[in-house]
Amino acid sequence: NRTVYKRIGDSKEYRLLEDLNIFDKEIVLETVEGIAQPNPRDNLPGVIMIGSERIEFFKITDNKLSQLT
């Protein structure tokens, strides 16, 4: 039995370039600079907070986050 805690920092803010809807398959940001890279091979997603929502992603292409979970 293990308990794992993950701290999600709030030191960086990101701006959406497009409105975000519940059915979207990607998130377009002004910049992805400073976002932790996901590691799909080890099943470790990247994480971003949008409002109070924690969104996980497995792919970064240019300024787009995709493969959202």
Side-chain angles (χ1 to χ4, degrees):
N1 292 333
R2 281 182 22 192
T3 301
V4 176
Y5 296 95
K6 293 184 180 182
R7 184 183 185 314
I8 300 173
D10 56 0
S11 62
K12 183 80 172 152
E13 291 185 6
Y14 299 94
R15 291 192 189 280
L16 296 173
L17 284 185
E18 297 177 2
D19 289 340
L20 185 61
N21 297 294
I22 195 166
F23 53 82
D24 286 345
K25 297 190 184 295
E26 66 182 17
I27 298 171
V28 182
L29 300 174
E30 189 174 83
T31 181
V32 294
E33 184 178 328
I35 294 179
Q37 293 291 315
N39 185 342
R41 191 180 88 206
D42 292 334
N43 200 32
L44 297 172
V47 177
I48 189 170
M49 296 295 293
I50 297 181
S52 61
E53 295 292 324
R54 180 181 191 269
I55 299 174
E56 297 180 348
F57 60 92
F58 281 97
K59 187 174 181 183
I60 298 176
T61 305
D62 299 323
N63 62 332
K64 296 178 184 178
L65 309 178
S66 57
Q67 296 182 4
L68 309 175
T69 61

